[in-house]
Amino acid sequence: MRRRISTLAVTAAMAGGVLFTALPAHAAPTAGQAVMAARGGAVTVDIREMQKQVAELRARADRQDRAGNHAGAKRTRAQADALQRRIQQFIDAENNMG
């Protein structure tokens, strides 16, 4: 069951446009990276980089709001929220693997 949840999380993230890097068998993940098994391989996700993207999206939404583009700001905040939910899914999946 754990493998199925991890695979679903990876599939959902890939569909959302998150880039993955294959982790060689001898390499250990660094702090801020989540590693999940997906069909026999390992996938790494840089959580810190994703959190940086969320912060950039929120800053862009604030700039759009100040410029009067409220609809664009709402869309940008929705993107940031979706990315934040993906980050939490990765964290939850990693915690459930062990």
Side-chain angles (χ1 to χ4, degrees), residues 49-77:
E49 181 63 30
M50 292 174 72
Q51 289 171 334
K52 182 179 172 185
Q53 290 173 357
V54 169
E56 290 170 357
L57 285 169
R58 292 196 193 286
R60 184 178 354 152
D62 290 341
R63 286 191 305 271
Q64 289 173 331
D65 236 354
R66 284 191 300 272
N69 184 3
H70 302 296
K74 183 177 179 179
R75 283 191 301 272
T76 304
R77 281 192 185 94

Side-chain angles (χ1 to χ4, degrees), residues 20-96:
F20 295 97
T21 305
L23 181 67
H26 65 282
T30 61
Q33 288 184 337
V35 177
M36 291 170 276
R39 296 185 185 170
V43 176
T44 59
V45 179
D46 191 349
I47 298 295
R48 288 185 184 160
E49 181 63 30
M50 292 174 72
Q51 289 171 334
K52 182 179 172 185
Q53 290 173 357
V54 169
E56 290 170 357
L57 285 169
R58 292 196 193 286
R60 184 178 354 152
D62 290 341
R63 286 191 305 271
Q64 289 173 331
D65 236 354
R66 284 191 300 272
N69 184 3
H70 302 296
K74 183 177 179 179
R75 283 191 301 272
T76 304
R77 281 192 185 94
Q79 289 175 344
D81 292 343
L83 187 54
Q84 185 62 47
R85 281 191 299 272
R86 270 190 236 132
I87 290 169
Q88 191 59 48
Q89 288 173 347
F90 287 131
I91 291 169
D92 292 344
E94 182 180 18
N95 291 339
N96 289 330

